Amino acid sequence: MSTQTAPGASNSNAQFNFFKMCIGRPVVVKLNNGVEYRGILEVVDGNMNIVMEQTEEYLNGQLKTKYGDCFLRGNNVLYISAQPKRM
C-alpha cells in the first residue's frame, strides 16, 4: 500500500504550520489596496480572514490609526509577514 498526498496538500500543510507558528506573535498584513496592518495575530481561518489585537494601520509607511481589535476579510489580503517577537 503506497502513501500518496493530494496535489497541493503539502502546500496547505506548510501554510497551516506557518499560521500556527504566528498565532500570538506580531505580524504585518498588507492588503490589495496597499494599506498595512501591524499587530498581534489572534486568529486566521481557511479563507484568510484575520483577527488581530493591538493593531496599527499604516498607509505609505505612516501610522494613520490605532485599533484595539481588528478583523480583516481574507479576500483583501495580499500577504502576511511574521515579525520578530516584541520584548
Coordinates of all heavy atoms in Angstrom, one line a residue:
M1 N 0.8 -1.2 0.0 CA 0.0 0.0 0.0 C 0.9 1.2 0.0 O 1.7 1.4 0.9 CB -0.9 0.0 1.2 CG -2.0 0.9 1.2 SD -3.1 0.7 2.7 CE -4.6 0.4 1.9
S2 N 0.7 2.1 -1.0 CA 1.5 3.3 -1.0 C 0.8 4.5 -0.4 O -0.4 4.6 -0.4 CB 1.9 3.7 -2.5 OG 0.7 4.1 -3.2
T3 N 1.6 5.4 0.1 CA 1.0 6.6 0.8 C 1.2 7.8 -0.2 O 2.3 8.1 -0.6 CB 1.8 6.9 2.1 OG1 1.7 5.8 2.9 CG2 1.2 8.1 2.7
Q4 N 0.1 8.4 -0.6 CA 0.1 9.5 -1.5 C -0.6 10.7 -0.9 O -1.5 10.5 -0.2 CB -0.5 9.1 -2.9 CG 0.2 8.1 -3.6 CD -0.4 7.8 -5.0 OE1 -1.4 8.4 -5.3 NE2 0.2 6.9 -5.7
T5 N -0.2 11.9 -1.2 CA -0.9 13.1 -0.8 C -1.5 13.7 -2.0 O -1.0 13.6 -3.1 CB 0.1 14.1 -0.1 OG1 1.1 14.4 -1.0 CG2 0.7 13.5 1.2
A6 N -2.6 14.4 -1.7 CA -3.3 15.1 -2.8 C -2.4 16.3 -3.3 O -1.6 16.8 -2.5 CB -4.6 15.6 -2.3
P7 N -2.5 16.6 -4.6 CA -1.8 17.8 -5.1 C -2.1 19.0 -4.2 O -3.2 19.3 -4.0 CB -2.3 17.9 -6.5 CG -2.8 16.6 -6.9 CD -3.3 16.0 -5.6
G8 N -1.0 19.7 -3.8 CA -1.2 20.9 -3.1 C -1.4 20.7 -1.6 O -1.4 21.6 -0.8
A9 N -1.4 19.4 -1.2 CA -1.6 19.1 0.3 C -0.4 19.6 1.1 O -0.6 20.1 2.2 CB -1.9 17.6 0.5
S10 N 0.8 19.4 0.6 CA 2.0 19.8 1.3 C 2.0 21.3 1.5 O 2.4 21.8 2.5 CB 3.3 19.2 0.7 OG 3.4 19.8 -0.6
N11 N 1.6 22.0 0.4 CA 1.5 23.5 0.5 C 0.5 23.9 1.5 O 0.8 24.8 2.3 CB 1.1 24.0 -0.9 CG 1.2 25.5 -1.0 OD1 2.1 26.1 -0.3 ND2 0.4 26.1 -1.8
S12 N -0.7 23.3 1.6 CA -1.7 23.6 2.6 C -1.1 23.4 4.0 O -1.4 24.2 4.9 CB -3.0 22.8 2.4 OG -3.5 23.2 1.1
N13 N -0.4 22.3 4.1 CA 0.1 21.9 5.4 C 1.2 23.0 5.9 O 1.2 23.3 7.0 CB 0.7 20.5 5.4 CG 0.9 19.9 6.8 OD1 0.3 20.3 7.7 ND2 1.8 19.0 6.8
A14 N 2.0 23.4 4.9 CA 3.0 24.4 5.2 C 2.4 25.7 5.6 O 2.8 26.4 6.5 CB 3.9 24.6 4.0
Q15 N 1.3 26.1 4.9 CA 0.6 27.3 5.3 C 0.0 27.2 6.7 O 0.1 28.1 7.5 CB -0.6 27.6 4.3 CG -0.1 28.0 2.9 CD -1.2 28.1 1.9 OE1 -2.3 27.8 2.2 NE2 -0.9 28.6 0.8
F16 N -0.6 26.1 7.0 CA -1.2 25.8 8.3 C -0.1 26.0 9.4 O -0.3 26.6 10.4 CB -1.9 24.5 8.4 CG -2.4 24.1 9.7 CD1 -3.5 24.7 10.3 CD2 -1.7 23.2 10.5 CE1 -4.0 24.3 11.5 CE2 -2.1 22.9 11.8 CZ -3.3 23.4 12.3
N17 N 1.0 25.3 9.1 CA 2.1 25.4 10.1 C 2.6 26.8 10.3 O 3.0 27.2 11.4 CB 3.3 24.5 9.7 CG 2.9 23.0 9.9 OD1 2.0 22.7 10.7 ND2 3.6 22.2 9.1
F18 N 2.7 27.6 9.2 CA 3.1 29.0 9.3 C 2.2 29.8 10.2 O 2.6 30.5 11.1 CB 3.3 29.6 7.9 CG 3.5 31.1 7.9 CD1 4.7 31.6 8.3 CD2 2.5 32.0 7.6 CE1 5.0 33.0 8.3 CE2 2.7 33.3 7.7 CZ 3.9 33.8 8.0
F19 N 0.9 29.7 9.9 CA -0.1 30.4 10.7 C -0.1 30.0 12.1 O -0.2 30.8 13.0 CB -1.5 30.3 10.1 CG -1.6 31.0 8.7 CD1 -2.2 30.3 7.7 CD2 -1.1 32.2 8.5 CE1 -2.4 30.9 6.4 CE2 -1.3 32.9 7.3 CZ -1.9 32.2 6.2
K20 N 0.0 28.7 12.4 CA 0.0 28.2 13.7 C 1.2 28.8 14.5 O 1.1 29.2 15.6 CB 0.1 26.7 13.7 CG 0.0 26.0 15.0 CD 0.0 24.5 14.9 CE 0.1 23.8 16.2 NZ 0.1 22.3 16.1
M21 N 2.4 28.9 13.8 CA 3.6 29.5 14.4 C 3.4 31.0 14.7 O 3.9 31.5 15.7 CB 4.8 29.3 13.5 CG 6.0 30.0 13.9 SD 7.2 30.2 12.6 CE 6.5 31.5 11.7
C22 N 2.6 31.7 13.9 CA 2.4 33.1 14.1 C 1.3 33.5 15.1 O 1.3 34.7 15.5 CB 2.0 33.7 12.7 SG 3.4 33.7 11.5
I23 N 0.5 32.6 15.5 CA -0.6 33.0 16.5 C 0.1 33.5 17.8 O 1.0 32.9 18.3 CB -1.5 31.8 16.8 CG1 -2.2 31.3 15.6 CG2 -2.5 32.1 17.9 CD1 -3.2 32.2 15.0
G24 N -0.4 34.7 18.2 CA 0.2 35.3 19.4 C 1.4 36.1 19.1 O 2.0 36.7 20.1
R25 N 1.9 36.2 17.9 CA 3.1 36.9 17.5 C 2.8 38.1 16.7 O 1.7 38.2 16.0 CB 4.1 36.0 16.8 CG 4.5 34.9 17.7 CD 5.6 34.1 17.1 NE 6.7 34.9 16.8 CZ 7.8 34.5 16.1 NH1 7.9 33.3 15.7 NH2 8.8 35.4 15.9
P26 N 3.7 39.1 16.6 CA 3.5 40.3 15.7 C 3.6 39.9 14.3 O 4.4 39.1 13.9 CB 4.7 41.2 16.1 CG 5.2 40.7 17.3 CD 4.9 39.2 17.4
V27 N 2.7 40.4 13.5 CA 2.6 40.2 12.0 C 2.4 41.5 11.3 O 1.8 42.5 11.9 CB 1.6 39.2 11.6 CG1 1.9 37.8 12.1 CG2 0.2 39.6 12.0
V28 N 2.7 41.6 10.0 CA 2.3 42.7 9.1 C 1.4 42.0 8.1 O 1.8 41.0 7.5 CB 3.5 43.3 8.5 CG1 3.0 44.3 7.4 CG2 4.4 44.0 9.5
V29 N 0.2 42.6 7.9 CA -0.7 42.1 6.9 C -0.9 43.3 5.9 O -1.3 44.4 6.3 CB -2.1 41.8 7.5 CG1 -3.1 41.3 6.4 CG2 -2.0 40.7 8.6
K30 N -0.6 43.0 4.6 CA -0.7 44.0 3.6 C -1.9 43.7 2.8 O -2.1 42.5 2.3 CB 0.5 44.1 2.7 CG 0.4 45.3 1.7 CD 1.8 45.6 1.1 CE 1.7 46.8 0.3 NZ 3.0 47.2 -0.2
L31 N -2.8 44.7 2.5 CA -4.0 44.5 1.7 C -3.7 44.8 0.3 O -2.7 45.5 -0.1 CB -5.1 45.3 2.3 CG -5.5 45.1 3.7 CD1 -6.8 45.9 4.1 CD2 -5.7 43.6 4.0
N32 N -4.6 44.4 -0.6 CA -4.5 44.6 -2.0 C -4.5 46.1 -2.3 O -3.9 46.5 -3.3 CB -5.7 44.0 -2.8 CG -5.7 42.5 -2.7 OD1 -4.6 41.9 -2.6 ND2 -6.8 41.9 -2.6
N33 N -5.0 47.0 -1.5 CA -5.0 48.4 -1.7 C -3.8 49.1 -1.2 O -3.7 50.3 -1.3 CB -6.3 49.1 -1.2 CG -6.4 49.0 0.3 OD1 -5.5 48.5 1.0 ND2 -7.5 49.5 0.9
G34 N -2.8 48.4 -0.7 CA -1.6 48.9 -0.2 C -1.5 49.3 1.3 O -0.5 49.6 1.8
V35 N -2.7 49.2 2.0 CA -2.7 49.6 3.4 C -2.1 48.4 4.2 O -2.3 47.2 3.8 CB -4.1 49.8 3.9 CG1 -4.2 50.1 5.4 CG2 -4.7 51.0 3.1
E36 N -1.3 48.7 5.2 CA -0.7 47.7 6.0 C -1.3 47.7 7.4 O -1.5 48.8 7.9 CB 0.8 47.8 6.1 CG 1.6 47.5 4.9 CD 3.1 47.5 5.2 OE1 3.6 48.0 6.2 OE2 3.8 47.1 4.2
Y37 N -1.5 46.6 8.0 CA -1.9 46.5 9.4 C -0.8 45.7 10.2 O -0.4 44.6 9.7 CB -3.2 45.8 9.5 CG -4.4 46.6 8.9 CD1 -4.7 46.5 7.6 CD2 -5.1 47.5 9.7 CE1 -5.7 47.3 7.0 CE2 -6.1 48.3 9.2 CZ -6.4 48.2 7.9 OH -7.3 49.0 7.3
R38 N -0.4 46.3 11.3 CA 0.6 45.6 12.1 C 0.0 45.4 13.5 O -0.6 46.3 14.1 CB 1.8 46.6 12.3 CG 2.5 46.9 10.9 CD 3.6 47.9 11.0 NE 4.0 48.3 9.7 CZ 5.0 49.2 9.5 NH1 5.6 49.7 10.5 NH2 5.3 49.5 8.3
G39 N 0.1 44.2 14.0 CA -0.4 43.9 15.3 C -0.1 42.4 15.6 O 0.7 41.7 15.0
I40 N -0.8 41.9 16.7 CA -0.7 40.6 17.2 C -1.7 39.7 16.5 O -2.9 39.9 16.6 CB -0.8 40.5 18.7 CG1 0.1 41.5 19.4 CG2 -0.6 39.1 19.2 CD1 1.6 41.3 19.1
L41 N -1.3 38.6 15.8 CA -2.2 37.7 15.2 C -2.9 36.8 16.2 O -2.3 36.2 17.0 CB -1.5 36.8 14.2 CG -2.3 35.9 13.4 CD1 -3.3 36.6 12.4 CD2 -1.4 34.9 12.6
E42 N -4.2 36.9 16.2 CA -5.0 36.0 17.1 C -5.7 34.8 16.4 O -5.6 33.7 16.9 CB -6.1 36.9 17.8 CG -5.5 37.9 18.8 CD -4.7 37.3 19.9 OE1 -5.2 36.3 20.5 OE2 -3.6 37.8 20.1
V43 N -6.2 35.1 15.2 CA -7.0 34.0 14.5 C -6.8 34.2 13.0 O -6.8 35.3 12.6 CB -8.5 34.0 14.9 CG1 -9.2 33.0 14.1 CG2 -8.7 33.9 16.3
V44 N -6.6 33.1 12.3 CA -6.7 33.1 10.9 C -7.4 31.9 10.4 O -7.2 30.8 11.0 CB -5.3 33.3 10.2 CG1 -4.5 32.1 10.5 CG2 -5.4 33.5 8.7
D45 N -8.4 32.0 9.5 CA -9.1 30.8 9.1 C -8.7 30.4 7.7 O -7.9 31.0 7.0 CB -10.6 31.0 9.2 CG -11.2 32.0 8.3 OD1 -10.5 32.4 7.3 OD2 -12.4 32.4 8.5
G46 N -9.4 29.4 7.1 CA -9.1 28.8 5.8 C -9.4 29.8 4.7 O -8.8 29.6 3.6
N47 N -10.2 30.8 4.9 CA -10.4 31.9 3.9 C -9.5 33.1 4.1 O -9.7 34.1 3.4 CB -11.9 32.3 4.0 CG -12.9 31.2 3.7 OD1 -12.6 30.5 2.7 ND2 -13.9 31.1 4.4
M48 N -8.5 32.9 4.9 CA -7.6 34.0 5.2 C -8.2 35.2 5.9 O -7.6 36.3 6.0 CB -6.9 34.5 4.0 CG -5.9 33.5 3.3 SD -4.3 33.4 4.2 CE -3.6 34.9 3.6
N49 N -9.4 35.0 6.5 CA -9.9 36.0 7.4 C -9.0 36.1 8.6 O -8.6 35.1 9.2 CB -11.4 35.7 7.8 CG -12.3 35.7 6.7 OD1 -12.3 36.6 5.8 ND2 -13.2 34.7 6.6
I50 N -8.7 37.3 9.1 CA -7.7 37.5 10.1 C -8.3 38.4 11.3 O -9.0 39.4 11.0 CB -6.5 38.2 9.5 CG1 -5.9 37.3 8.4 CG2 -5.5 38.6 10.6 CD1 -4.9 38.0 7.6
V51 N -8.0 37.9 12.5 CA -8.3 38.7 13.7 C -7.0 39.1 14.3 O -6.1 38.2 14.5 CB -9.2 38.0 14.7 CG1 -9.4 38.8 15.9 CG2 -10.5 37.6 14.0
M52 N -6.8 40.4 14.6 CA -5.6 40.9 15.2 C -5.9 41.7 16.4 O -7.0 42.3 16.5 CB -4.8 41.7 14.2 CG -4.3 41.0 13.0 SD -3.6 42.1 11.7 CE -2.2 42.7 12.5
E53 N -5.0 41.9 17.4 CA -5.1 42.7 18.5 C -3.9 43.8 18.4 O -2.9 43.5 17.7 CB -4.9 41.9 19.8 CG -6.1 41.1 20.1 CD -6.0 40.3 21.4 OE1 -4.9 40.3 22.0 OE2 -7.0 39.8 21.9
Q54 N -4.1 44.9 19.2 CA -3.1 45.9 19.2 C -2.7 46.3 17.8 O -1.5 46.5 17.5 CB -1.9 45.5 20.0 CG -2.2 45.0 21.4 CD -0.9 44.4 22.1 OE1 0.2 44.7 21.8 NE2 -1.2 43.6 23.1
T55 N -3.7 46.6 17.0 CA -3.5 46.8 15.6 C -3.2 48.3 15.2 O -3.9 49.2 15.8 CB -4.7 46.3 14.8 OG1 -5.0 45.0 15.2 CG2 -4.4 46.3 13.3
E56 N -2.3 48.5 14.3 CA -2.0 49.8 13.8 C -2.1 49.8 12.3 O -1.7 48.8 11.7 CB -0.5 50.2 14.2 CG -0.3 50.3 15.7 CD 1.2 50.6 16.0 OE1 2.0 50.2 15.2 OE2 1.4 51.1 17.1
E57 N -2.7 50.8 11.8 CA -2.9 51.0 10.3 C -1.9 51.9 9.7 O -1.8 53.0 10.2 CB -4.3 51.5 10.0 CG -4.6 51.6 8.6 CD -6.0 52.2 8.4 OE1 -6.3 53.3 8.7 OE2 -6.9 51.4 7.9
Y58 N -1.2 51.5 8.7 CA -0.2 52.3 8.0 C -0.5 52.5 6.6 O -0.9 51.5 5.9 CB 1.2 51.6 8.1 CG 1.8 51.7 9.5 CD1 1.4 50.7 10.5 CD2 2.7 52.6 9.8 CE1 2.0 50.8 11.7 CE2 3.3 52.7 11.1 CZ 2.9 51.7 12.1 OH 3.4 51.8 13.3
L59 N -0.3 53.7 6.1 CA -0.5 54.0 4.7 C 0.7 54.7 4.2 O 1.1 55.7 4.8 CB -1.7 54.8 4.4 CG -2.1 55.2 3.0 CD1 -2.3 53.9 2.2 CD2 -3.3 56.0 2.9
N60 N 1.4 54.2 3.2 CA 2.7 54.8 2.7 C 3.7 54.9 3.8 O 4.4 55.9 3.9 CB 2.4 56.1 2.0 CG 1.5 56.0 0.8 OD1 1.6 55.0 0.1 ND2 0.6 57.0 0.7
G61 N 3.7 53.9 4.7 CA 4.7 53.9 5.8 C 4.4 54.8 7.0 O 5.2 54.8 7.9
Q62 N 3.3 55.5 6.9 CA 3.0 56.4 8.0 C 1.8 55.9 8.8 O 0.8 55.4 8.2 CB 2.6 57.8 7.5 CG 3.8 58.5 6.8 CD 3.4 59.9 6.5 OE1 2.3 60.2 6.1 NE2 4.4 60.8 6.5
L63 N 1.9 55.9 10.1 CA 0.8 55.5 11.0 C -0.4 56.4 10.8 O -0.3 57.6 10.9 CB 1.3 55.6 12.5 CG 0.3 55.2 13.5 CD1 -0.2 53.7 13.4 CD2 0.8 55.5 14.9
K64 N -1.5 55.8 10.6 CA -2.8 56.5 10.4 C -3.7 56.4 11.5 O -4.3 57.3 12.0 CB -3.5 56.0 9.1 CG -2.7 56.4 7.8 CD -2.6 57.9 7.7 CE -1.8 58.3 6.4 NZ -1.6 59.7 6.3
T65 N -3.9 55.1 12.0 CA -4.9 54.8 13.1 C -4.4 53.7 13.9 O -3.8 52.8 13.4 CB -6.3 54.5 12.4 OG1 -6.6 55.5 11.5 CG2 -7.3 54.4 13.5
K66 N -4.8 53.7 15.2 CA -4.6 52.6 16.1 C -5.9 52.0 16.5 O -6.9 52.7 16.8 CB -3.9 53.0 17.4 CG -2.4 53.4 17.1 CD -1.7 53.7 18.4 CE -0.3 54.0 18.2 NZ 0.5 54.2 19.5
Y67 N -6.0 50.7 16.4 CA -7.2 49.9 16.8 C -6.9 49.0 18.0 O -5.8 48.5 18.1 CB -7.7 49.1 15.6 CG -8.0 49.9 14.4 CD1 -7.2 49.9 13.3 CD2 -9.2 50.6 14.3 CE1 -7.5 50.6 12.1 CE2 -9.5 51.3 13.1 CZ -8.6 51.3 12.1 OH -8.9 52.0 10.9
G68 N -7.9 48.6 18.7 CA -7.7 47.6 19.7 C -7.7 46.2 19.0 O -6.7 45.6 18.8
D69 N -8.9 45.8 18.6 CA -9.1 44.6 17.8 C -9.4 44.9 16.4 O -10.0 46.0 16.1 CB -10.2 43.7 18.4 CG -9.9 43.3 19.8 OD1 -8.8 43.1 20.2 OD2 -10.9 43.0 20.6
C70 N -9.0 44.1 15.5 CA -9.3 44.3 14.1 C -9.6 43.0 13.4 O -9.0 42.0 13.6 CB -8.0 44.9 13.5 SG -8.0 45.3 11.7
F71 N -10.6 43.1 12.5 CA -10.9 41.9 11.6 C -10.7 42.3 10.2 O -11.1 43.4 9.7 CB -12.4 41.6 11.8 CG -12.9 40.5 10.9 CD1 -12.7 39.2 11.2 CD2 -13.5 40.8 9.7 CE1 -13.1 38.1 10.4 CE2 -13.9 39.7 8.8 CZ -13.7 38.4 9.2
L72 N -9.9 41.5 9.5 CA -9.6 41.8 8.1 C -10.2 40.6 7.2 O -9.9 39.4 7.5 CB -8.1 41.8 7.9 CG -7.3 42.9 8.6 CD1 -5.8 42.8 8.5 CD2 -7.8 44.3 8.2
R73 N -10.9 41.0 6.2 CA -11.5 40.0 5.4 C -10.5 39.4 4.4 O -9.7 40.1 3.8 CB -12.7 40.6 4.6 CG -13.5 39.6 3.9 CD -14.7 40.2 3.3 NE -15.4 39.2 2.5 CZ -16.4 39.5 1.7 NH1 -16.9 40.7 1.7 NH2 -17.0 38.5 1.0
G74 N -10.5 38.1 4.3 CA -9.4 37.3 3.6 C -9.3 37.7 2.2 O -8.1 37.7 1.6
N75 N -10.3 38.0 1.5 CA -10.2 38.3 0.0 C -9.5 39.6 -0.3 O -9.1 39.9 -1.4 CB -11.6 38.2 -0.7 CG -12.5 39.4 -0.2 OD1 -12.3 39.9 0.9 ND2 -13.4 39.7 -1.1
N76 N -9.2 40.4 0.8 CA -8.5 41.6 0.6 C -7.0 41.5 0.9 O -6.2 42.4 0.7 CB -9.0 42.7 1.5 CG -10.5 43.1 1.1 OD1 -10.7 43.3 -0.1 ND2 -11.3 43.2 2.1
V77 N -6.6 40.3 1.4 CA -5.2 40.2 1.9 C -4.3 39.8 0.8 O -4.5 38.9 0.0 CB -5.1 39.0 3.0 CG1 -3.7 38.8 3.4 CG2 -6.0 39.4 4.2
L78 N -3.2 40.6 0.7 CA -2.1 40.4 -0.3 C -1.1 39.4 0.3 O -0.7 38.4 -0.3 CB -1.5 41.7 -0.7 CG -0.4 41.6 -1.8 CD1 -1.0 41.0 -3.1 CD2 0.2 43.0 -2.0
Y79 N -0.6 39.7 1.5 CA 0.3 38.8 2.2 C 0.3 39.1 3.7 O -0.2 40.1 4.2 CB 1.7 39.0 1.7 CG 2.4 40.3 2.0 CD1 2.9 40.6 3.2 CD2 2.6 41.2 1.0 CE1 3.6 41.7 3.5 CE2 3.3 42.4 1.2 CZ 3.8 42.7 2.5 OH 4.4 43.8 2.7
I80 N 0.8 38.1 4.4 CA 1.0 38.1 5.9 C 2.5 37.9 6.1 O 3.1 36.9 5.6 CB 0.2 37.1 6.6 CG1 -1.3 37.2 6.4 CG2 0.5 37.1 8.1 CD1 -2.1 36.1 6.9
S81 N 3.1 38.7 6.9 CA 4.6 38.6 7.2 C 4.8 38.5 8.7 O 4.3 39.4 9.4 CB 5.3 39.8 6.6 OG 6.7 39.8 7.0
A82 N 5.5 37.4 9.1 CA 5.8 37.3 10.5 C 6.9 38.3 10.9 O 7.8 38.5 10.1 CB 6.2 35.9 10.8
Q83 N 6.8 38.9 12.1 CA 7.8 39.8 12.6 C 8.5 39.3 13.8 O 7.9 38.4 14.5 CB 7.1 41.1 12.9 CG 6.3 41.8 11.8 CD 7.3 42.1 10.6 OE1 8.2 42.9 10.8 NE2 7.0 41.5 9.5
P84 N 9.6 39.8 14.1 CA 10.3 39.4 15.4 C 9.4 39.6 16.6 O 8.7 40.6 16.6 CB 11.6 40.3 15.4 CG 11.8 40.8 14.1 CD 10.4 40.8 13.4
K85 N 9.5 38.7 17.5 CA 8.7 38.9 18.7 C 9.1 40.1 19.5 O 10.2 40.4 19.7 CB 8.9 37.6 19.6 CG 7.7 37.4 20.5 CD 7.7 36.0 21.1 CE 6.3 35.7 21.4 NZ 6.0 34.3 21.7
R86 N 8.0 40.8 20.0 CA 8.3 42.1 20.8 C 8.8 41.7 22.2 O 8.3 40.8 22.8 CB 7.0 42.9 20.9 CG 6.5 43.4 19.6 CD 5.2 44.2 19.8 NE 4.7 44.7 18.5 CZ 3.5 45.1 18.3 NH1 2.6 45.2 19.3 NH2 3.1 45.5 17.1
M87 N 9.6 42.5 22.7 CA 10.2 42.3 24.0 C 9.3 43.1 25.0 O 8.8 44.1 24.9 CB 11.6 42.8 24.1 CG 12.5 42.0 23.2 SD 12.7 40.3 23.9 CE 13.5 39.5 22.6

